[in-house]
Amino acid sequence: MKEDFLHYIWQYQYFDKLNLNTEEGEAITVLRPGYRNSDAGPDFLNARLQIGEVEWNGAVEIHLRASDWQRHQHQHDLKYDQVVLHVVHTADQPVRRTNGTLVPTLAVGARIAPHMLQTYNELLESATPLPCAPLLEQVSTLTRTMMAARTLLERVEEKGEALSRMQENLDGDWEATTYHALAAAFGFKKNSEPLARLAKALPINILRRHRHSLPQLEALLFGQAGFLMEVVDNEEDIYLAALRSEYSFLSHKYNLSATALKPHDWNFLRLRPANFPPVRIAQLAAVLHARPALFDALLTATDTLALEQFFMAPVSEYWRHHYRPGKAGKVPALGRSSAHLLITNVVVPLRVAYARYTGQSELVEQALALLEQLPAEHNHLTDVYDALGFEHRTAADSQGLLALQRGYCAPRRCLQCAIGSRILQRNVVVR
């Protein structure tokens, strides 16, 4: 058993309260269990309890064993002097406050329904990706849908918060924030980290001066990415020679060479040529050239069609026929599915971050509405939920299911999940 299980049963009072007494024999009546404390100090605050003839308002501390009080050194911590009840699974010794007064102890181990504890252990020990899969028939479709909606909001808020921190680190510059977010997103997982580094190595204020010229943008991006250092068959085509010459001048002008990446910083393994980092950099260059105001365009686009067109800016002729410097081959344009991922991972979080910054809550609703316009994403994670009958029609559903898997199912946070909680509730015996 983990301590969070005791937190759960105390918070929701899922234990037998018939003849409830402290270890010292005083009757207990729980008038209010208190509120979970996410900061340092006791686990529950502002509890209201009647112990014997006295009504108390104070804190409740939870431990598996009473002796954990000493193990955690609470007897020397003034914050724990406000504890009016020590709730434990096993009362193996009495505990005292810093002034030596006894803390009343309630042992609930024998008061937990055995079936509830068994179900909890089954959820924790399940080897399946979705621990509650064998018990899902106990949960209504409405509960599943509401939990996925909750995790969707948690996911977009988390991504939005990451962009808010980025915006603060970039001196409040939303255009720079959009550029950095776009660069990382064009890496599509395998090259997200080096593309994020490329954005740091090539500041937006330099790119702004050269957005009018696609060749200059490409020279800066490919030069800082380290790809102009590559020599292919000891021959240089005209395009690469021009880029090298342009980059040599610009890198000297802006003192860029010290921060340039190297070819070995990029990942090519198990990628199709259309996903190679030089192709993605060419697509990013095309967007930077065609869209002089990145942030405004992404913030004001009214539908996903406009955003698809934003991301599908045509690349230069060279990169329609090369997938790596000096390596010829027909390369398809950025596809709709890739554009949809960019909408999901850049546009939606950006709007959420800006909504929080300006207090415009309607922007959050607009961001979620974009996800509802996009088709569902299908991968090995969402397929598990598909097979179990979870609603999965749009990208909003996909994002909710991915958040459910990563935030709750994989780490076995069943007690914090409405689905797991509902399953446990069916095994509660309360008197």
Side-chain angles (χ1 to χ4, degrees), residues 103-120:
V103 180
T105 298
L106 169 64
V108 296
R111 294 176 174 274
I112 301 170
H115 290 304
M116 186 181 188
L117 182 56
Q118 180 182 345
T119 302
Y120 164 74

Side-chain angles (χ1 to χ4, degrees), residues 178-374:
T178 306
Y179 162 60
H180 280 263
L182 273 179
F186 263 94
F188 293 97
K189 289 187 179 180
K190 283 209 171 181
N191 284 289
S192 180
E193 188 272 336
L195 258 161
R197 288 171 54 197
L198 175 59
K200 291 180 180 179
L202 188 56
I204 186 71
N205 63 326
I206 294 176
L207 289 175
R208 280 177 175 143
R209 301 171 192 172
H210 300 277
R211 277 184 172 171
H212 64 283
S213 170
L214 184 55
Q216 289 181 350
L217 283 178
E218 290 179 339
L220 286 165
L221 286 164
F222 283 106
Q224 281 299 91
F227 287 121
L228 298 184
M229 298 167 56
E230 291 188 323
V231 178
V232 183
D233 297 332
N234 295 319
E235 294 181 1
E236 293 187 349
D237 55 32
I238 296 174
Y239 167 82
L240 292 180
L243 286 196
R244 283 193 177 95
S245 176
E246 189 71 49
Y247 177 68
S248 177
F249 170 75
L250 292 174
S251 65
H252 178 74
K253 178 179 179 180
Y254 296 117
N255 192 27
L256 295 175
S257 58
T259 58
L261 280 73
K262 303 294 188 294
H264 65 256
D265 290 324
W266 300 92
N267 301 310
F268 289 85
L269 187 64
R270 297 188 182 90
L271 287 178
R272 291 177 296 179
N275 294 326
F276 278 4
V279 174
R280 296 307 189 189
I281 291 173
Q283 292 166 349
L284 176 62
V287 170
L288 295 173
H289 174 61
R291 318 298 180 192
L294 297 173
F295 175 63
D296 184 67
L298 295 184
L299 189 67
T300 59
T302 56
D303 54 38
T304 55
L305 180 59
L307 289 166
E308 287 175 9
Q309 294 171 348
F310 174 96
F311 289 119
M312 292 180 181
V315 300
S316 61
E317 182 65 25
Y318 185 89
W319 291 105
R320 297 175 195 175
H321 305 285
H322 291 79
Y323 55 86
R324 195 164 181 166
K327 292 286 188 179
K330 187 170 178 59
V331 180
L334 184 92
R336 290 186 69 205
S337 60
S338 294
H340 293 168
L341 287 174
L342 292 169
I343 294 170
T344 298
N345 295 318
V346 178
V347 181
V348 172
L350 192 66
R351 292 190 180 193
V352 171
Y354 190 68
R356 298 308 181 216
Y357 179 77
T358 61
Q360 300 179 63
S361 58
E362 65 274 11
L363 286 179
V364 177
E365 295 301 321
Q366 293 173 14
L368 295 177
L370 289 176
L371 292 176
E372 291 169 356
Q373 295 176 35
L374 297 176

